Amino acid sequence: MDPEAPSSHFSNCTHCGFCLAVCPTYKLTGDENNSPRGRLRLWSEEAAGRLPRDKWTDFYTEECVGCLACETACPATVPYGQIFERIRHDHVTTGRSHPGPVLRLAAALVTAPFWFNLALLPARLLRRCGLAWPPLLFPGRPPLLQSSAAYAAELMRLRNPTGPRVALLTGCLMEAMFREINFATIRVLIENNVRVVIPEHQGCCGAFQEHTGLGDAAALGARNRKAFGSVEVDAIVCNSSGCGYALGKSLAPDRPVRDVLAFLGDLGPVRRQREPTDATRVYVDLPCHLVHGQKSPGIPAAVLDATGYRWELAPNARDCCGSGGVYNLQKPENARAILAGKAAFLNEAEGAPVVLATSNHVCMMQWNSAGKSGLVKRPYEVRHVIQLLDPGECFGRGSGPA
Amino acid sequence: MNDLDVRLRALLPRGRVLTSPAQLAAYGADGLGYKNYRPDAVVLPADAAELAAFMRGAKRLAVPLVMRGAGTSLSGGPVAAQGGVIVHTSALKAVPVINAHGFWCEVESGVTLNDLDAILKPHGVFYPPDPSSGPVCTLGGNVASNAGGAHCFRYGVTSNYVLGVEAVLLDGSVHRFGGPAGGRGPWREDWKRFMIGSEGTLAAFTRFWLRLLPLPEKVWTFRATYPDLTTTEAAIHALVADPSYPAAIEMLDPRGVAMVESSQMACGLPEGSFLLLVEIDGPAPLVDGRVPHVAELLRRAGSTDVTFSEEALIRQKLWKARKAAGGLLGQLSPSYVVQDAVIPKRALAEVLRLVYDEADAAGIRVVNVFHAGDGNLHPNFLFDSRVPGELEKVERISKHLMERVIAVGGTLSGEHGIGNDKSGYMPLVFGPDSMRLQLAVPAAFNPTHQMNPLKVFDDRRFGS
Ligand SMILES: Cc1cc2nc3c(=O)[nH]c(=O)nc-3n(C[C@H](O)[C@H](O)[C@H](O)COP(=O)(O)OP(=O)(O)OC[C@H]3O[C@@H](n4cnc5c(N)ncnc54)[C@H](O)[C@@H]3O)c2cc1C
Ligand code: SF4
Ligand code: SF4
């Protein structure tokens, strides 16, 4: 770790404590070490040589969900996320933190999209057949063999849209496991007269590396700078808030990255018509990496209105659901406790069916687990907001046409 | 595990005990982040009952005990200045009773102010004291430091709203000083005024009974800028004496305005101006009728730039510069000291002059925020604690400031408390007789000064 830079960052923290109130792990434990102000203090004390390396510093570092709510709350604009990423990476490389073998394997695989896609083919198949059992895997019907790039090219040929041009990041897990969301995104964009380009040689956005401290996020960033750097488009868009945040950091300051829903909000998307008797109610949760990472005001009302459904924000929509990228794999008990507080409302929520919609696939996985793990005792469906704009979407049989 | 660790664990079978160096570091400071006092241990009682049980055995630990809420104190209150054990109340978060018809509620001491607000709102009632640390500070900290806020000009400070305090003494005895019915009936000793503002030196608070008010039907916010201090003062004096009785009168000085305007929070305020923010509230027909009058008053005093609104979003914008000021301090400098002097309003010009002259001479940046209605001045001195000599400069200016404040008939602290940051100034205000009597109070509750030693009085040391 660079001894100079972090300590100058840490010292920006005036110790006002405003970040305590929003931190999920502080709310859970009431232990100030487990808060943003506390973690910053542990790291700065260690960097300044006033605190020896200690297993508790490692513990409290691993406890952080990485939700970045503290950045939004901080009046002194302390760049917590940047500091945290650096510390986490440092802890992993120096053996203070030990991500499990599955995460290590995944970290290696996501850098090679072809092999990652192949490795997850059986999982895609199981999801498609409705046989996916792990609580995180939400139902859906991912296309098996056709890639998002091939689908976009085919649909572009058929529909020939003439509007603005966008480059879409297809992502690693998104493409390998939840490809139906990419397909829905492409359909919705093209239906809205948007020309979709899927730049070749793009790779993982680096969020996985940032979440785990494994691998070389900078190398992935360089690859994407090459893939997206020179494409001639009106916007670079992402359909997952976490990937959008990570790609945005890689391409900054030259190429801004937009959330696809914000982009559609500006266009004013085609509105879906629903039957007057349709009693669907959509509860919208806002991913941390959208509101705290990308500092976006949320998902545009114009987009949510265009779904044609009655919608409202889920209670505490800006609070973390506990997903935190891979936090729910690394700290399942904390993740479940954080989710418990958020998801309880679904038990009483009105609507038939009740839909929980968000804009990040890892949050969708976390929300899906609320039902399978018994936190929510009534049926509900989890969707990406873009799927609610998809002409093919309909409830009760997975997630739209392939 | 050391001996203290073992004994603490025996006292807290359900709660948590922290003793590793890396579990204590985060508890070294309060809102004055540059001052560090590492405690020997931190305990987190699981609930109020466990806190009471802990207090029963705590005397025998023979180490100082320091109560801590959210640790946002700006005076060195919740820190272990003489070592010992910090008792963190973060688990005491229940709000067992809301009696909207009787206009009172019962809350535990670890509840945060904004959480209480949110819980009360659907009942159409509110708890008026509003320190700007509201998102995070706890009622325990508020009561122990008698917190105030922007709206205390009309509504009064914490002490005006505490009906009763449940306090656990060092012998483990649980006392209810006052209660929802004041000091009557089963609520025996009405000594709550001893407890309010006691800064953790008397007892551990576990719960409070608080007085509530009906939510105001309508609120109007006014923002005016003034070219100089004379016109600003004219406006403040007129407002204070005006029958429209504003709820809040807040001021930001030109250096504060310049700080806001050169930041990403800029809102187009004229260069070199003083900013006044005024709020009136109450029943709609009454307040609506007063709006033209207040606007006229602000203009007559010398403002050509008066904006006002009743709409929540616009009101938020009007408050923006004032609210942003606190955060911007943190963006400008790694450390700041905020003084909390209360002065007669007529002395504002004189005291501000001293602050500017001394700070400029020492090369220290300063921004003044003023709860103008109450005469509560907050000069914020921005400095870098890593640069040798800077803190000393700030302390020297602060001392001169305090001497002048006393000379003009003011006092040390309006709302932040004394802690160990301002304890050195106590003899400036109080003579030996008064100091002796004041010291007798904590001595009556804990004769060895085990509770929060070295606070409020410099020589109030545990064990001596
Ligand atoms: C950015 C910022 C803005 C602020 N604005 C204001 C403002 O507008 N008005 C204002 O009045 N203050 C303000 N403050 C100061 C501070 O927030 C208040 O003093 C607040 O009341 C402290 O609450 P806390 O929960 O953080 O208490 P702490 O800081 O933890 O403790 C404060 C004192 O209370 C004692 N204490 C805490 N809990 C208990 C308990 N359960 N039993 C007995 N003693 C206890 C502690 O020992 C300590 O002496 C501000 C602080 C910051 C950082
Ligand atoms: S990122 Fe989230 S979990 Fe981590 S310190 Fe900040 S608020 Fe807490
Ligand atoms: S809100 Fe920002 S400045 Fe305040 S304690 Fe947290 S990180 Fe530090």
Side-chain angles (χ1 to χ4, degrees), chain A residues 15 29-30 32-33 41 45, chain B residues 16 23 27 30 33 38 90:
Chain A
H15 228 246
T29 61
E32 187 160 333
N33 297 290
R41 177 128 309 219
E45 289 285 289
Chain B
R16 263 170 305 152
Q23 295 182 296
Y27 286 91
D30 60 358
R38 196 157 299 168
S90 56

Side-chain angles (χ1 to χ4, degrees), chain A residues 15-18, chain B residues 30-31 51 66-74 76-79 89 109-110 130-133 136-150 198-201 203-206 208 322 326 336 371 378 414-417 451-452 455:
Chain A
H15 228 246
C16 70
F18 273 48
Chain B
D30 60 358
L51 172 55
V66 182
M67 300 302 298
R68 182 169 170 114
T72 65
S73 155
L74 290 170
V79 293
T89 59
S109 57
D130 61 341
S132 38
S133 48
V136 57
C137 69
T138 67
L139 283 149
N142 289 176
V143 174
S145 40
N146 196 9
S198 61
E199 303 195 28
T201 62
F205 305 151
T206 38
F208 308 110
R322 167 65 185 87
Y336 63 91
H371 297 311
H378 289 321
E415 52 184 23
H416 297 166
M451 300 288 298
N452 216 4
K455 305 299 168 65

Side-chain angles (χ1 to χ4, degrees), chain A residues 11-12 14-18 20-21 26-27 29-33 37-38 41-42 45 50-51 54 56-57 60 75-77, chain B residues 16 18 20-23 25-27 29-31 33 36 38 44 68 70-72 88 90 132 135-136 327 330-331 334 386:
Chain A
S11 62
N12 270 359
T14 60
H15 228 246
C16 70
F18 273 48
L20 266 63
Y26 179 71
K27 287 196 268 192
T29 61
D31 178 348
E32 187 160 333
N33 297 290
R37 178 169 80 171
R41 177 128 309 219
L42 295 183
E45 289 285 289
R50 286 190 292 266
L51 190 67
D54 188 313
W56 283 106
T57 308
Y60 290 120
T77 57
Chain B
R16 263 170 305 152
L18 315 178
S20 288
Q23 295 182 296
Y27 286 91
D30 60 358
N36 223 331
R38 196 157 299 168
L44 295 102
R68 182 169 170 114
T72 65
H88 192 187
S90 56
S132 38
V136 57
Q331 292 184 28
R386 296 163 303 177

Side-chain angles (χ1 to χ4, degrees), chain A residues 364-376:
Chain A
M364 292 172 70
M365 294 162 77
Q366 174 76 346
W367 275 105
N368 190 60
S369 74
K372 292 209 175 159
S373 66
L375 291 174
V376 178

Side-chain angles (χ1 to χ4, degrees), chain A residues 19 22-25 35-36 39 63-70 80:
Chain A
C19 51
V22 298
C23 174
T25 58
S35 77
R39 284 186 255 272
E63 285 274 290
C64 174
V65 193
C67 68
L68 305 183
C70 49
Y80 177 90

